[in-house]
Amino acid sequence: MANSNEYTPPRIWTWDKENGGQFANINRPIAGATHEKELPVGRHPLQLYSLGTPNGVKVTIMLEELLAAGHTGAEYDAWLIRIGDGDQFGSGFVAANPNSKIPALVDRSGAAPIRVFESGSILTYLAEKFQAFLPTEPAARAECFSWLFWQMGSAPYLGGGFGHFYAYAPTKIEYAINRFAMETKRQLDVLDRRLAESEYLGGSEYTIADIAVWPWYGGLVKGWIYEAAEFLQVQDYKNIQRWADQIGERKPVQRGRMVNRLSGEPSSQLWERHDASDFDTKTQDKIGAAS
């Protein structure tokens, strides 16, 4: 493989603010708040601060699934966090998630607010709080958690690895794209083999494992992220396609995909969600593009 751009790392790494491609304005090597900004609080028990990325969609799908299953205590306000504008570095958001990543949840249903951050942690917290979408039988519970944490460990290779170098990096690097395309296809094969023997990832029941994996890998095989469907030949993964379609037909999943979404058809974008009726009255096709 020819490489005309040899790079020798310096003895000590220093931060080059201009070297970050599409995300240079928000990537930095330090944590903490950059500005003072309190988070808004709505009227519902659960307050979600997020964006309609795959990680954010996990939680809005879970909340809509809980509501559809009759758990009225799962009513929530979903506030939009524009990560491209640096909203995640406001003091209020950093207090909710010191890692400055979406999503962040604050449960205000008890005597004192409880913060929950990291999408897998939020899914587990909600599943345990409402005793839903998480098996109680030990073997099934272990299988569900195994696939949930498989997603947590695998998706960075898909998103930060393949997605970044294939779709977002300022230059196309053959080695990096090949490295992460290979790993992404290996992961797809892992999923496809599992779904050849099981209706859902955890077994015969739909669980938080499916809710966690679907926005990333379901979105990938349906061509919704990175515009890489042809490159990765995703049509070959027949079992993932079956599973992705099956989950995508669920009404709570369709609603969850709309919340905090900033792209796609205006009718599919519900920038903020404060009531179930918002899906009928406050999508962007109805209220226009005003922020």
Side-chain angles (χ1 to χ4, degrees):
M1 183 187 305
N3 187 354
S4 59
N5 258 333
E6 288 290 339
Y7 169 67
T8 301
R11 267 188 81 223
I12 299 173
W13 182 85
T14 56
W15 180 24
D16 179 358
K17 294 184 180 181
E18 302 304 317
N19 184 17
Q22 183 172 333
F23 304 104
N25 65 320
I26 60 170
N27 288 341
R28 59 198 183 107
I30 53 175
T34 61
H35 59 283
E36 291 294 319
K37 185 177 181 181
E38 292 303 309
L39 291 175
V41 178
R43 63 188 177 89
H44 293 306
L46 300 174
Q47 301 294 303
L48 177 66
Y49 306 94
S50 192
L51 181 67
T53 66
N55 283 334
V57 165
K58 296 175 197 174
V59 180
T60 50
I61 287 175
M62 179 63 170
L63 290 166
E64 292 297 329
E65 290 281 10
L66 288 167
L67 291 170
H71 297 283
T72 56
E75 272 293 353
Y76 69 104
D77 292 276
W79 302 93
L80 181 62
I81 300 296
R82 296 177 181 269
I83 61 175
D85 295 344
D87 289 351
Q88 69 274 32
F89 301 121
S91 57
F93 190 90
V94 172
N97 183 357
N99 196 37
S100 291
K101 303 287 185 182
I102 62 94
L105 179 77
V106 179
D107 183 354
R108 294 180 172 272
S109 62
I114 297 173
R115 75 176 187 185
V116 194
F117 58 92
E118 296 299 325
S119 58
S121 176
I122 295 172
L123 291 180
T124 302
Y125 177 84
L126 292 172
E128 292 182 335
K129 178 181 177 72
F130 294 102
Q131 296 295 292
F133 304 108
L134 179 61
T136 56
E137 190 276 321
R141 187 179 181 89
E143 191 73 18
C144 172
F145 276 134
S146 290
W147 287 106
L148 173 66
F149 286 99
W150 176 88
Q151 188 276 316
M152 301 301 146
S154 297
Y157 292 96
L158 169 56
F162 174 75
H164 178 78
F165 286 106
Y166 182 80
Y168 301 131
T171 58
K172 301 297 184 188
I173 303 171
E174 182 182 3
Y175 171 80
I177 292 172
N178 284 342
R179 166 70 179 87
F180 291 110
M182 178 171 61
E183 172 60 12
T184 297
K185 287 184 71 69
R186 188 195 69 81
Q187 292 175 8
L188 289 169
D189 194 42
V190 169
L191 283 178
D192 202 62
R193 289 169 185 263
R194 171 58 178 167
L195 292 167
E197 63 186 19
S198 180
E199 182 177 7
Y200 295 106
L201 289 172
S204 60
E205 296 182 8
Y206 173 68
T207 69
I208 55 173
D210 302 287
I211 292 171
V213 174
W214 186 84
W216 281 105
Y217 296 88
L220 183 66
V221 301
K222 301 319 295 182
W224 298 335
I225 58 176
Y226 308 134
E227 298 182 352
E230 181 180 13
F231 182 74
L232 295 172
Q233 291 291 280
V234 297
Q235 74 279 357
D236 294 345
Y237 303 98
K238 304 297 186 186
N239 301 302
I240 305 179
Q241 291 283 353
R242 182 270 306 164
W243 167 85
D245 289 339
Q246 186 174 349
I247 293 176
E249 290 170 0
R250 298 176 68 94
K251 294 298 182 184
V253 172
Q254 294 169 10
R255 289 195 294 272
R257 282 196 72 218
M258 296 171 64
V259 179
N260 299 145
R261 186 176 181 179
L262 293 178
S263 62
E265 291 296 322
S267 60
S268 72
Q269 299 180 41
L270 182 63
W271 287 5
E272 292 189 356
R273 187 267 193 212
H274 303 291
D275 190 84
S277 64
D278 291 348
F279 291 100
D280 299 319
T281 62
K282 293 186 179 178
T283 50
Q284 285 305 108
D285 60 317
K286 295 184 175 67
I287 67 172
S291 58

